[in-house]
Amino acid sequence: MAPSIRELKGIGEKTEKLFAKVGVRTTDDLLHYYPRDYDIYDSPIPISKITGPMKCAVKARVSQTLDVKKAGARTVVTGKIEDDTGYLFVIWFGMPFLRTVLKRGGIYVFRGKVEPKNGRLYLEQPEYFSLASYEKMLHAMQPIYGLTKGLTNKTVTKAVRQILEQKSCLKDYFPEDFRRQYGLEDYGTSLMDIHFPSCFDMLKKARKRLVFDEFFFFILTVSRLKEQADSTLSSFPLKEVWKTEELVERLPYELTNAQKNVWYEIERDLKSPRAMARLVQGDVGSGKTVIAFLAMVMTAENGAQAALMAPTEVLAKQHYDSLKSLLSQEEWDCYQPLLLTGSNTQKEKRERQGALKSGVSKIAIGTHALFQKNVEYQNLALVITDEQHRFGVHQREEFSHKGEKPNVLVMSATPIPRTLAVILYGDLDISVIDELPAKRLPIKNCVVDQRYRSTAYRFIREQIQEGHQAYVICPLVEESEGLEAENVIDYEKNLRRLWNGEIRTGILHGKMRPSEKNEVMEQFASGQIQVLVGTTVVEVGVNVPNATVMMVENAERFGLASLHQLRGRVGRGEAQSYCIFMQSNQEQEQSRRLEILGKSNDGFQIAAEDMKLRGPGDLLGFRQSGDLEFNLADIYQDGSILELASRAAAQLIVSGSLNQEEYRKLKDKCEIYMKNKMEEIQL
Ligand code: ADP
Ligand code: MG
């Protein structure tokens, strides 16, 4: 166990708590708490290029002596600056001394955020530099960390610097030959450079190394699981049942051919004496849920139990409700499906756990709660994880230990090429649902900028008046210093103000308690909330067919795959649906990326195009999808590193090198990695 961050200078109980909020407890956590973005000191631009809100630096002359006024308790300093192409206003708060520092006629570089105010463009609270000192700063990259209220970027930066000074934690665990063979930067250098890169190339090398490591340890784990699985592959085969045919016939729609094929594959697996271990990949809306239900019903009809685990309570509840609508009363009474989640009362938990232990209940749907220590099953023969990319491999593994060699089915909407899927899910067979149900109105997409904002709001309002609902997605939960992006909390307040409370709004984000999230989701599902402002937590699986608008703020901040998942939340009902991708800057390249979404509704194709278009700038920013258990690595962007890591791992395993002295440090590191991962999921 790495030492607590309390060991660092300047971190007391209060700061420790703040760090805990962003998931940093040990010095090791902090070392791997990578910046979410970097502040780059770009060359100054001509003032005439500034037409709206943006962050920039300008080289300009102070046109007139600065004006100092009192506004309440604050001093406000204002002024005008100019270059050969135009002028701009500047404003500072609480810095009266500037009047004597920045003299009329002086030329400086001013750097900050431009905001319109009363029809004028103001550079707000800009930093200022002499020309010579800005020259030195030019192209420097300052880390910007994810923060929470009370935790400043400076605090994080200082703490990280302190650890980096203790060189002991920076020692490499890969032997040098190994590193050279795979073209990897040294570990310590990589950590230094990911936090404080001196240039873009260094950052790239650092990132490559750290991404490699994430994949590498992951792959070693998967291969170990595979070894274990192979020796335990055999379960009791299920008998074919009529009930599943009956259900298929009763569906209000016909299964697509792709669904049928995948269901046959699963049925065959279930009938075989080998335990099933299968991944079903299918794009959002391809209809994976019904396939899971069929497998559960087949299991229950055979007198055994089936459990379906979803990553959120909201989704679990939804699955439970749709199963209810699919089954007849008689079937329901026979299987006695139950819902088990963290927000059940103690009494409910006790009752439901009892029903699982006695085997009265044949079908369980829920969250992690399904495989907590005190949950026992009578004869669990099928475990399903929905949205597998949200769980770690170990969670899947833990889950399957609840039964005697149960059949394992995992479902994922993350479209990844087969070659990569084989590496990431090495221990699973793969089925693909590569077809969407027909008769869906294609979603209308548009990529717009700030100028379209008021039109967008008007449009949403109209949709609400027609009885529909809308989602608005922001990248951040709350305001975070240095990160230029919309946040849920302030955004929703502004919307309420804009609409005078005439439209009912609500918020949903990852920092809320599960019970709060459930409540909000239920209010949204029932139409009580009309516009839901949230983070990407809404991206996973939810189904509110009445929602027809998905508006995404700072769309350039998200990976295309993520945007595609978000878009999948609308277009689920009969009505025409719309997706509005709002970009905060008008860079050509960004627009091109986003336009891929406009041209295609096929997640697989989008992922492929996205990879082609990803430029060096995409290393930055918070595009990380949070999928699987990677911190920095992104399976789309880093496919080639994934393949490299896979080759390296295979070579080590095949050659048995891991047992050599040279590789001892690496071996120890692997053990720690696996132990940590196990601890993470012990609830
Ligand atoms: P996902 O694959 O994203 O989990 P779901 O299983 O939630 O998709 O299905 C999305 C919607 O499509 C649901 O409302 C479901 O009832 C419907 N659906 C599933 N299969 C078909 C089909 N073959 N034809 C028409 N609608 C379908
Ligand atoms: Mg789903």
Side-chain angles (χ1 to χ4, degrees), residues 88-367:
L88 197 62
F89 294 91
V90 279
I91 184 164
W92 288 274
F93 301 100
M95 299 170 85
F97 57 88
L98 286 179
R99 186 182 162 100
T100 49
V101 178
L102 301 172
K103 294 233 170 61
R104 177 174 160 205
I107 296 180
Y108 303 88
V109 174
F110 297 90
R111 180 170 184 274
K113 226 167 96 181
V114 177
E115 290 286 352
K117 246 193 198 92
N118 312 326
R120 290 172 161 185
L121 287 177
Y122 275 92
L123 198 50
E124 275 191 0
Q125 203 79 1
E127 304 172 272
Y128 54 90
F129 304 88
S130 70
L131 301 190
S133 61
Y134 196 77
E135 192 64 35
K136 281 196 206 121
M137 290 294 287
L138 204 56
H139 306 310
M141 300 168 87
Q142 305 288 333
I144 301 177
Y145 295 96
L147 302 171
T148 186
K149 206 174 182 146
L151 184 67
T152 66
N153 204 49
K154 205 162 163 189
T155 308
V156 183
T157 308
K158 266 168 96 177
V160 173
R161 275 201 197 281
Q162 261 191 72
I163 304 181
L164 287 173
E165 278 160 18
Q166 307 168 356
K167 304 275 181 226
S168 61
C169 57
L170 305 180
K171 287 225 182 70
D172 209 326
Y173 35 79
F174 286 150
E176 204 170 322
D177 285 348
F178 179 90
R179 272 202 293 119
R180 208 165 308 128
Q181 187 183 351
Y182 294 100
L184 302 172
E185 183 56 271
D186 164 70
Y187 182 60
T189 312
S190 303
L191 283 171
M192 300 269 208
D193 286 347
I194 197 90
H195 288 286
F196 304 105
S198 48
C199 67
F200 199 74
D201 277 342
M202 305 292 257
L203 173 60
K204 246 165 90 175
K205 282 197 194 125
R207 191 179 174 283
K208 177 183 167 189
R209 163 65 200 259
L210 297 171
V211 166
F212 180 94
D213 288 19
E214 285 183 9
F215 283 144
F216 182 81
F217 290 118
F218 181 87
I219 292 165
L220 282 187
T221 313
V222 171
S223 65
R224 184 172 292 194
L225 291 181
K226 192 182 163 105
E227 269 167 36
Q228 288 168 1
D230 277 345
S231 58
T232 58
L233 271 184
S234 76
S235 72
F236 76 95
L238 301 184
K239 285 200 198 65
E240 190 161 352
V241 296
W242 280 111
K243 188 57 87 185
T244 49
E245 313 280 318
E246 214 182 295
L247 281 183
V248 168
E249 265 166 36
R250 220 196 289 151
L251 288 172
Y253 47 78
E254 192 182 345
L255 290 183
T256 61
N257 282 329
Q259 281 172 312
K260 281 183 199 158
N261 290 337
V262 171
W263 167 236
Y264 293 146
E265 282 175 325
I266 292 172
E267 206 179 19
R268 201 183 53 214
D269 284 352
L270 293 175
K271 287 192 296 190
S272 111
R274 270 180 86 221
M276 171 167 77
R278 184 171 291 278
L279 164 72
V280 174
Q281 265 197 59
D283 212 346
V284 260
S286 61
K288 295 182 289 294
T289 318
V290 66
I291 303 295
F293 288 169
L294 290 175
M296 293 208 284
V297 166
M298 177 160 163
T299 307
E301 282 286 310
N302 274 271
Q305 289 173 303
L308 167 65
M309 174 168 71
T312 63
E313 292 202 5
V314 166
L315 192 55
K317 172 79 167 52
Q318 213 169 266
H319 284 333
Y320 180 78
D321 292 340
S322 31
L323 181 66
K324 196 170 220 161
S325 63
L326 188 68
L327 298 180
S328 69
Q329 187 62 47
E330 197 186 324
E331 287 153 0
W332 187 261
D333 293 342
C334 175
Y335 313 141
Q336 303 222 6
L338 58 77
L339 181 67
L340 196 62
T341 66
S343 56
N344 290 140
T345 61
Q346 285 304 327
K347 182 161 168 277
E348 285 168 342
K349 271 186 202 153
R350 232 176 302 122
E351 281 170 9
R352 293 177 195 183
Q353 286 169 3
L356 290 176
K357 191 172 175 186
S358 68
V360 167
S361 180
K362 299 275 180 257
I363 292 181
I365 296 179
T367 55

Side-chain angles (χ1 to χ4, degrees), residues 396-670:
R396 163 161 50 92
E397 181 63 13
E398 275 285 296
F399 193 20
S400 67
H401 282 157
K402 286 291 178 192
E404 188 86 10
K405 298 162 197 161
N407 293 296
V408 173
L409 180 63
V410 304
M411 305 194 294
S412 175
T414 300
I416 43 175
R418 208 172 178 100
T419 48
L420 301 189
V422 169
I423 300 174
L424 289 171
Y425 298 102
D427 53 334
L428 301 176
D429 299 321
I430 301 174
S431 297
V432 181
I433 306 187
D434 51 4
E435 179 184 5
L436 288 182
K439 286 199 294 195
R440 291 247 173 95
L441 280 179
I443 298 164
K444 291 196 174 152
N445 301 285
C446 59
V447 179
V448 298
D449 60 44
Q450 301 301 325
R451 288 169 295 185
Y452 185 81
R453 181 171 294 282
S454 51
T455 316
Y457 288 150
R458 218 173 315 126
F459 181 74
I460 290 179
R461 202 191 172 101
E462 281 163 20
Q463 286 286 310
I464 305 289
Q465 276 159 358
E466 283 175 27
H468 294 302
Q469 287 163 281
Y471 297 93
V472 182
I473 306 300
C474 303
L476 300 174
V477 174
E478 56 184 351
E479 195 176 349
S480 186
E481 175 197 338
L483 289 172
E484 301 289 322
E486 299 289 348
N487 74 80
V488 170
I489 309 271
D490 292 328
Y491 198 100
E492 192 253 355
K493 274 192 205 139
N494 291 339
L495 274 188
R496 246 186 294 157
R497 205 170 308 138
L498 175 77
W499 287 325
N500 293 321
E502 285 162 34
I503 292 176
R504 297 182 302 272
T505 53
I507 60 172
L508 190 72
H509 58 74
K511 291 188 181 168
M512 289 160 63
R513 271 181 284 124
S515 56
E516 291 175 307
K517 283 193 252 182
N518 278 340
E519 200 174 312
V520 167
M521 231 19 247
E522 242 151 59
Q523 287 172 356
F524 188 61
S526 69
Q528 251 169 290
I529 291 175
Q530 294 165 303
V531 176
L532 185 63
V533 182
T535 55
T536 49
V537 293
V538 308
E539 124 182 8
V540 183
V542 297
N543 192 22
V544 178
N546 190 42
T548 53
V549 185
M550 167 59 70
M551 175 163 166
V552 184
E553 291 288 349
N554 306 104
E556 73 284 353
R557 289 279 188 180
F558 298 92
L560 290 190
S562 205
L563 291 174
H564 177 64
Q565 296 282 325
L566 285 169
R567 172 167 64 186
R569 296 310 116 217
V570 296
R572 295 184 155 244
E574 310 261 285
Q576 176 65 54
S577 288
Y578 306 86
C579 214
I580 305 168
F581 300 115
M582 179 70 73
Q583 3 180 29
S584 42
N585 53 25
Q586 300 162 15
E587 280 167 37
Q588 283 283 319
E589 225 173 279
Q590 297 296 358
S591 308
R592 275 205 8 240
R593 274 185 71 238
L594 292 175
E595 265 151 25
I596 299 173
L597 286 167
K599 290 199 202 95
S600 175
N601 274 317
D602 175 347
F604 287 78
Q605 199 188 331
I606 287 169
E609 291 281 321
D610 191 18
M611 270 199 280
K612 276 191 238 152
L613 267 189
R614 283 189 175 202
D618 294 323
L619 285 182
L620 310 177
F622 28 154
R623 289 265 179 73
Q624 297 138 27
S625 53
D627 279 1
L628 295 155
E629 42 204 278
F630 305 124
N631 183 355
L632 200 58
D634 176 317
I635 40 178
Y636 299 103
Q637 184 173 335
D638 302 317
S640 60
I641 307 180
L642 177 57
E643 283 173 79
L644 190 70
S646 164
R647 254 184 287 139
Q651 196 210 348
L652 278 190
I653 293 167
V654 172
S655 66
S657 310
L658 264 183
N659 294 322
Q660 290 167 9
E661 180 55 26
E662 217 191 334
Y663 283 89
R664 219 194 49 223
K665 268 205 227 122
L666 177 59
K667 200 173 172 191
D668 292 347
K669 182 87 185 174
C670 285

